[in-house]
Amino acid sequence: MNVYEIIQKFVKDKHYEQDEHVLGILFYGSSKYGLNNSNSDIDLLIVYDNSDNQTRLIRGNAIVDDTRIEYFTKTIREIHINVEEDFITQSNASVSIIGKSDIIYEKNGAMQDLQEHVLNKFKKQLPPITKDKAKEKLATINNRIERLKKYAESEEYGYYFEHLYNLIIEMIRRLYHEMNGIPRIETSKGFKLYRNKQYQDMFSIHNIPDSTFLEMYFELIQNQTMNSKEKLEELIDFYNYAKKTVDFDEYNNYRFPIKSRYYENISINTDVDLEDMEVEQIQIPEETLSAVKKFMEEMNYKNDEHFLGIIVYGSSLTGFNTKDSDIDLHVIFDNTDPNRLYRGKRFIENDGKVVEIEYFEKPIYEEYLMAENEFLHQDNAALSILGKGAIVYQKDESLAEIQKYVLHKFKDDLPPLSIDEAREQISILDNKIQKLENLLHEDSPYFYHFYHIVLEKMREVHHQIIGISQIATDKVPKIYTDAGYRESVCKTNPSPDFVEEFLRLVTIGNDKEQMLEDIKAFYVKVKHGIELGQEYRIPIESSLKHLLLYLKNGALSYSSLPITSDMIALLDKKNGLTTKDMTDVMQLIESLKTKELELGG
């Protein structure tokens, strides 16, 4: 059977054409373009009307005539939401999935209308991120590079250099796309897409990074003969080239605005009784305390009537710092200005030494939001920052109260993924492993780079499945192997055999077949007993809340976009969104059309 016969058999078996609620079926992906291989599947999107949004959102897999079909079922309303989210987040997946797809079936021209809408939407260039957002991401990447420098010289943790090196390359590549309004490209697709016009057409990519950037990128991910010092030097050159259009000097004082990452109306439990809760008073090292006081004086915080105090955290507090370590601070204000969100760095002279201070300025409500959101999303950085941090100065009891609140919040175990959420993540990992197999069969030099991307994704998903906190990738080896340090940052390890195997696998070898075999064996531990089988249907969540958050925070460069109180109120939905909610928000989106951003509905 050819591909269209297989699709027709699938459609007939599922009775889609007889379902009055099915508006159309779209065929997209490598099999459509004849660029498939033995591991490729057939990609389909089944579009429903809006009669039952909550049960229509499905990620599925089926086997027809020994061929795998990966399909999504979505309502037309959800697809419109996806289109808006794609545009705002610099993805043109909607173009290749919808705009350029083959229509297998449609009712009353609905798919042609949808395709026209998508193609008109993406006639405009995708919006680049703002300069401030770029600076925020560059600051994070620079911190990773500083850690990589230490690994390059470390006898104890040098084995982790290669893994972090590859992950930083990927961070820089993605940021370059964001800064230049270039559509997002998955790592595994970029290997061919950057050099092959057929793949660019398939994914509707009409602008790619410049030739110098690509030359540097391919050199970094292909060259396995360079030593750590040479790789580090080339990586720094790559980083500097990527950020050349942004006025950002990470080695001098800086301060720039950032956006909230949290839903504004998340519920905060104000009824919990914290009065008798005891907080361990951590002794701040005198050298750290002296530097923080000097910083507070230079920034003139005490003369600001809205200033509530400072919390110091991190290695300078816990004693795991080195001579090169910085001091980490949260500078907290009252809620008079909810947009007072800044990230900064300042170098001060203290007792004859230059001390680096890395700080965040936030209203106190934002700190509560961080605690609530992190708990829901399996992160407990708020615990080590706020709950276990030390108060240097406080105007009133506000900082003591939030410490108690955070400690009370995190006394419970973090919630693991639901079974459906876990199954969805496993289906994503399945696809990545298949792509890694493809690179092996093609004897691709990019196998090594993608191996590290897949391995890191496996580690993150395993933490989510078993319900333990995420860990910044640059700190993994120390947290996994140093119990004292792990306790100081309030983290929990996976099982000892998982840790042992992960740390073994980050040490790259040269035998690609053995590497693939090992990572597939490790995958059994990652899944923690959850299996999908050959055929499955997994409920997935609406993208609505993500879209609303992007809009609330200014939709990247669209900082003047007005957001109504009605829209914000929708962010408070905790147990899913009803069909009426979906209708309301699409009407709100329609009402928010501006000259800068035409939001279709």
Side-chain angles (χ1 to χ4, degrees), residues 15 78 82 112 116 128 196 239 334 413 474 510 519 521 560:
H15 306 291
E78 182 69 17
N82 293 156
Q112 294 181 59
E116 183 179 354
N196 189 317
Y239 166 77
D334 64 27
D413 292 337
D474 59 321
N510 294 315
I519 203 172
S560 62

Side-chain angles (χ1 to χ4, degrees), residues 184-244:
R184 290 204 318 265
I185 296 172
E186 291 180 24
T187 316
S188 59
K189 294 174 181 175
F191 302 146
K192 290 183 178 177
L193 191 148
Y194 285 140
R195 291 177 166 174
N196 189 317
K197 185 65 167 59
Q198 282 183 296
Y199 280 87
Q200 292 171 21
D201 291 341
M202 178 171 71
F203 293 106
S204 303
I205 305 294
H206 304 303
N207 59 324
I208 60 175
D210 66 56
S211 58
T212 302
F213 181 88
L214 289 179
E215 182 180 345
M216 297 174 79
Y217 171 67
F218 285 125
E219 173 68 14
L220 285 169
I221 64 176
Q222 288 184 86
N223 195 330
Q224 297 297 314
T225 61
M226 291 187 292
N227 60 38
S228 296
K229 181 180 178 181
E230 293 168 333
K231 287 183 176 182
L232 182 59
E233 289 174 353
E234 292 208 4
L235 179 67
I236 292 172
D237 288 343
F238 185 55
Y239 166 77
N240 287 330
Y241 185 83
K243 75 181 185 78
K244 63 180 181 178

Side-chain angles (χ1 to χ4, degrees), residues 277-511:
M277 188 169 189
E278 295 184 4
V279 178
E280 179 186 359
Q281 298 301 317
I282 300 175
Q283 185 69 35
I284 305 173
E286 183 56 41
E287 189 175 32
T288 298
L289 181 61
S290 173
V292 174
K293 287 182 176 179
K294 182 72 178 295
F295 166 76
M296 187 166 55
E297 179 184 329
E298 289 189 8
M299 297 295 285
N300 201 29
Y301 284 134
K302 283 188 178 181
N303 290 328
D304 188 326
E305 62 178 320
H306 304 295
F307 174 61
L308 296 179
I310 289 177
I311 292 182
V312 59
Y313 63 98
S315 60
S316 68
L317 176 67
T318 60
F320 286 91
N321 54 324
T322 67
K323 62 181 179 64
D324 298 319
S325 296
D326 59 11
I327 296 175
D328 298 300
L329 305 177
H330 272 216
V331 183
I332 303 175
F333 297 83
D334 64 27
N335 296 316
T336 304
D337 181 2
N339 295 314
R340 184 164 187 168
L341 292 161
Y342 290 90
R343 178 173 183 165
K345 180 184 286 188
R346 190 173 183 90
F347 293 88
I348 63 169
E349 281 197 28
N350 186 56
D351 294 334
K353 296 195 312 186
V354 176
V355 180
E356 179 182 337
I357 307 277
E358 185 163 11
Y359 65 96
F360 291 86
E361 295 181 8
K362 295 183 177 184
I364 194 164
Y365 186 59
E366 181 75 11
E367 303 286 28
Y368 281 98
L369 291 179
M370 177 173 72
E372 292 291 337
N373 277 275
E374 285 187 348
F375 186 85
L376 290 175
H377 296 96
Q378 298 163 307
D379 194 353
N380 70 347
L383 177 60
S384 58
I385 293 171
L386 303 172
K388 299 290 188 176
I391 300 171
V392 174
Y393 164 88
Q394 62 175 335
K395 180 179 181 180
D396 52 31
E397 292 300 308
S398 298
L399 271 59
E401 288 172 5
I402 194 171
Q403 275 198 320
K404 291 181 180 180
Y405 186 92
V406 170
L407 289 169
H408 180 270
K409 182 71 184 180
F410 285 90
K411 68 179 175 36
D412 297 325
D413 292 337
L414 297 175
L417 293 180
S418 70
I419 186 62
D420 286 331
E421 290 170 331
R423 293 174 75 217
E424 182 181 5
Q425 290 303 312
I426 288 170
S427 70
I428 293 170
L429 280 175
D430 282 349
N431 285 339
K432 291 186 180 298
I433 290 172
Q434 287 169 2
K435 290 168 183 173
L436 191 62
E437 286 181 339
N438 291 341
L439 293 173
L440 173 64
H441 295 153
E442 295 164 4
D443 196 24
S444 170
Y446 314 129
F447 174 92
Y448 301 105
H449 178 62
F450 193 56
Y451 167 89
H452 287 282
I453 306 298
V454 177
L455 183 59
E456 182 65 9
K457 178 67 175 176
M458 284 183 173
R459 186 189 67 78
E460 292 172 351
V461 168
H462 184 70
H463 277 236
Q464 292 175 318
I465 289 174
I466 65 175
I468 64 173
S469 179
Q470 293 301 319
I471 296 173
T473 186
D474 59 321
K475 297 179 180 178
V476 166
K478 193 165 186 179
I479 289 174
Y480 273 5
T481 61
D482 187 328
Y485 181 73
R486 181 166 62 250
E487 182 178 350
S488 77
V489 292
C490 309
K491 300 298 181 182
T492 302
N493 270 0
S495 65
D497 62 324
F498 181 94
V499 168
E500 181 182 359
E501 186 64 3
F502 175 80
L503 295 180
R504 184 182 76 83
L505 291 178
V506 299
T507 306
I508 199 165
N510 294 315
D511 187 338

Side-chain angles (χ1 to χ4, degrees), residues 28 86 90-99 118 122 183-184 203:
Y28 62 97
D86 276 352
Q90 299 168 305
S91 170
N92 68 345
S94 290
V95 181
S96 57
I97 292 173
I98 299 168
V118 169
F122 284 84
R184 290 204 318 265
F203 293 106

Side-chain angles (χ1 to χ4, degrees), residues 51-253:
S51 58
D52 186 8
N53 189 77
Q54 286 185 304
T55 62
R56 299 296 192 201
L57 305 182
I58 297 291
R59 179 182 189 130
N61 200 75
I63 305 297
V64 177
D65 194 38
D66 295 325
T67 301
R68 188 166 65 93
I69 295 178
E70 184 172 49
Y71 64 93
F72 288 86
T73 72
K74 297 184 178 183
T75 61
I76 189 76
R77 184 183 291 120
E78 182 69 17
I79 289 171
H80 276 281
I81 290 171
N82 293 156
V83 170
E84 301 305 331
E85 184 186 20
D86 276 352
F87 188 83
I88 290 173
T89 60
Q90 299 168 305
S91 170
N92 68 345
S94 290
V95 181
S96 57
I97 292 173
I98 299 168
K100 298 295 184 66
S101 61
D102 276 358
I103 299 175
I104 299 300
Y105 164 76
E106 69 174 330
K107 185 184 294 181
N108 300 326
M111 295 302 95
Q112 294 181 59
D113 292 343
L114 182 59
Q115 285 185 327
E116 183 179 354
H117 168 73
V118 169
L119 293 174
N120 284 334
K121 177 76 182 181
F122 284 84
K123 280 181 180 177
K124 297 175 288 185
Q125 166 140 8
L126 296 175
I129 60 174
T130 63
K131 298 296 185 184
D132 286 332
K133 187 64 176 177
K135 290 177 183 178
E136 183 180 0
K137 294 195 172 192
L138 286 167
T140 299
I141 293 173
N142 181 65
N143 285 347
R144 297 283 193 275
I145 291 175
E146 290 302 311
R147 182 78 62 174
L148 188 67
K149 290 177 182 178
K150 295 177 181 178
Y151 288 150
E153 300 170 353
S154 171
E155 292 184 6
E156 186 176 6
Y157 298 119
Y159 65 89
Y160 198 73
F161 176 92
E162 194 71 29
H163 186 63
L164 183 57
Y165 163 81
N166 278 277
L167 298 178
I168 294 173
I169 293 171
E170 178 66 0
M171 292 176 71
I172 296 171
R173 183 189 73 85
R174 287 178 178 267
L175 179 56
Y176 186 86
H177 277 244
E178 291 177 313
M179 290 192 300
N180 293 279
I182 300 171
R184 290 204 318 265
I185 296 172
E186 291 180 24
T187 316
S188 59
K189 294 174 181 175
F191 302 146
K192 290 183 178 177
L193 191 148
Y194 285 140
R195 291 177 166 174
N196 189 317
K197 185 65 167 59
Q198 282 183 296
Y199 280 87
Q200 292 171 21
D201 291 341
M202 178 171 71
F203 293 106
S204 303
I205 305 294
H206 304 303
N207 59 324
I208 60 175
D210 66 56
S211 58
T212 302
F213 181 88
L214 289 179
E215 182 180 345
M216 297 174 79
Y217 171 67
F218 285 125
E219 173 68 14
L220 285 169
I221 64 176
Q222 288 184 86
N223 195 330
Q224 297 297 314
T225 61
M226 291 187 292
N227 60 38
S228 296
K229 181 180 178 181
E230 293 168 333
K231 287 183 176 182
L232 182 59
E233 289 174 353
E234 292 208 4
L235 179 67
I236 292 172
D237 288 343
F238 185 55
Y239 166 77
N240 287 330
Y241 185 83
K243 75 181 185 78
K244 63 180 181 178
T245 60
V246 180
D247 182 19
F248 178 65
D249 183 357
E250 55 277 87
Y251 298 108
N252 278 301
N253 296 341

